[in-house]
Amino acid sequence: MKLAYKEFYEDYKNNALKPLYLFFGPETFLMDSMLAYAKKALIDATTEPFNYQMENADQLSAEAMVEKMETLPFLSERRLVIFKNANFFAKKAAFSPVGEAALKACFENPPLSTVAIFICGSKPDNRLKWSERLEKNGRVVSFDRLDAAEFKKWIAQRLKKSGIESDDRTRQFLVDRLAYLEYRAEVSLQEIDKHLEVLISLCAKKRTVTKADIVLVIPQNLEANSFKIVDAAVAQDLPKALAMVEFLRSEGESEVLLLGTLYKA
């Protein structure tokens, strides 16, 4: 059963990290955040060269992965090994019979002195059974795009953590402006975090954010608004479509650029 990133965060907070994890999904910004938490929990700077490894699983044999998982920590309780591009969870790998058997055995009885995190670039194929084997002693964690409630909470926490006060209306304006929740938008949390860094820097002295600050820092998402205009036109809601076009013009959007974006939508 796949779990959301919040379950991994609970493991981290409770100092109860499992020996095995499989990460996959489109929100790599959240994934990187959870990897940073794992490193913070397990790795001391003085012994990092011995106890922390990031490997490319596509370039390793199954035997090599097992060897890295079974290596004992140095002056520490546990090691952290991150296997990027662990795509054998999603497509059949050319493991040797001996190596495949060894990796299966390691998943069945993983060393408790290592936390191994596998990162798969696509959704695991359950027919291959690798995710099922890992899940017996670990967790399969999906990093999906945030839903509306999660995204609004994430924005509120991001501002609060930086010492920036905001009211509900201003945060909703910020959420709408960022366009992350638009169903055809492809804005990532990584892009949004860059906008927020600039916004937080702008508001650092006064410790509060206003709509004017948001407009100054975060541009209109022309593509997302174009989808809305097209949807309104398809629904034969011409007044709404025209009102949105006029709004974008009033915001200073180029008519030529707007027409080009509408054509692509």
Side-chain angles (χ1 to χ4, degrees):
M1 179 182 70
K2 73 174 184 178
L3 302 169
Y5 77 95
K6 289 176 285 189
E7 277 72 22
F8 178 86
Y9 185 68
E10 287 299 314
D11 288 350
Y12 159 75
K13 281 203 308 181
N14 295 328
N15 194 27
L17 290 174
K18 307 289 186 186
L20 298 170
Y21 288 93
L22 169 61
F23 286 3
F24 73 97
E27 273 304 354
T28 56
F29 182 84
L30 286 177
M31 193 181 294
D32 289 343
S33 297
M34 295 304 109
L35 292 174
Y37 281 129
K39 188 175 180 182
K40 179 181 177 181
L42 298 170
I43 304 302
D44 184 271
T46 57
T47 58
E48 180 176 333
F50 306 99
N51 295 326
Y52 174 72
Q53 288 180 277
M54 183 173 286
E55 303 287 345
N56 190 337
D58 273 358
Q59 297 177 5
L60 294 175
S61 65
E63 294 95 327
M65 283 189 275
V66 171
E67 181 182 350
K68 292 180 186 302
M69 284 189 281
E70 291 183 342
T71 299
L72 293 174
F74 177 72
L75 298 178
S76 179
E77 290 186 8
R78 304 179 86 180
R79 299 176 71 246
L80 173 61
V81 185
I82 298 169
F83 294 101
K84 299 187 299 180
N85 300 317
N87 296 318
F88 65 91
F89 286 94
K91 59 183 180 182
K92 188 169 178 58
F95 292 146
S96 70
V98 172
E100 183 169 328
L103 189 58
K104 288 177 181 177
C106 193
F107 279 11
E108 289 288 339
N109 187 26
L112 300 180
S113 58
T114 296
V115 173
I117 302 177
F118 295 85
I119 301 173
C120 184
S122 53
K123 185 177 179 180
D125 187 339
N126 293 331
R127 295 172 298 181
L128 298 174
K129 302 294 184 182
W130 285 111
S131 57
E132 182 181 316
R133 294 184 187 103
L134 179 144
E135 200 170 22
K136 290 179 181 178
N137 292 291
R139 293 193 191 278
V140 176
V141 185
S142 175
F143 290 83
D144 297 320
R145 287 178 66 85
L146 301 182
D147 62 26
E150 290 171 332
F151 183 63
K152 291 174 184 178
K153 184 178 179 181
W154 184 79
I155 291 289
Q157 289 175 337
R158 185 72 175 81
L159 293 174
K160 184 177 180 180
K161 185 179 179 181
S162 300
I164 305 299
E165 296 292 330
S166 61
D167 57 46
D168 291 343
R169 283 190 174 185
T170 304
R171 285 197 302 275
Q172 186 59 53
F173 181 78
L174 176 58
V175 166
D176 293 340
R177 188 86 173 183
L178 290 167
Y180 176 85
L181 298 173
E182 300 300 324
Y183 74 98
R184 280 183 287 187
E186 296 182 355
V187 187
S188 70
L189 284 182
Q190 190 163 20
E191 294 174 78
I192 285 173
D193 192 67
K194 291 178 182 177
H195 285 310
L196 293 180
E197 284 287 347
V198 178
L199 182 64
I200 288 164
S201 178
L202 175 69
C203 301
K205 287 186 178 179
K206 62 178 181 174
R207 295 290 186 183
T208 187
V209 61
T210 65
K211 289 184 179 180
D213 297 324
I214 294 167
V215 170
L216 183 64
V217 169
I218 300 171
Q220 281 282 351
N221 189 306
L222 187 55
E223 184 179 25
N225 281 300
S226 297
F227 288 141
K228 289 181 180 179
I229 294 169
V230 171
D231 288 343
V234 170
Q236 298 185 340
D237 191 346
L238 190 58
K240 181 178 179 180
L242 291 174
M244 293 180 70
V245 170
E246 189 57 38
F247 171 75
L248 290 173
R249 288 179 61 198
S250 71
E251 289 279 300
E253 293 292 352
S254 161
E255 293 180 1
V256 174
L257 183 60
L258 179 58
L259 284 171
T261 308
L262 284 171
Y263 177 78
K264 288 190 291 184

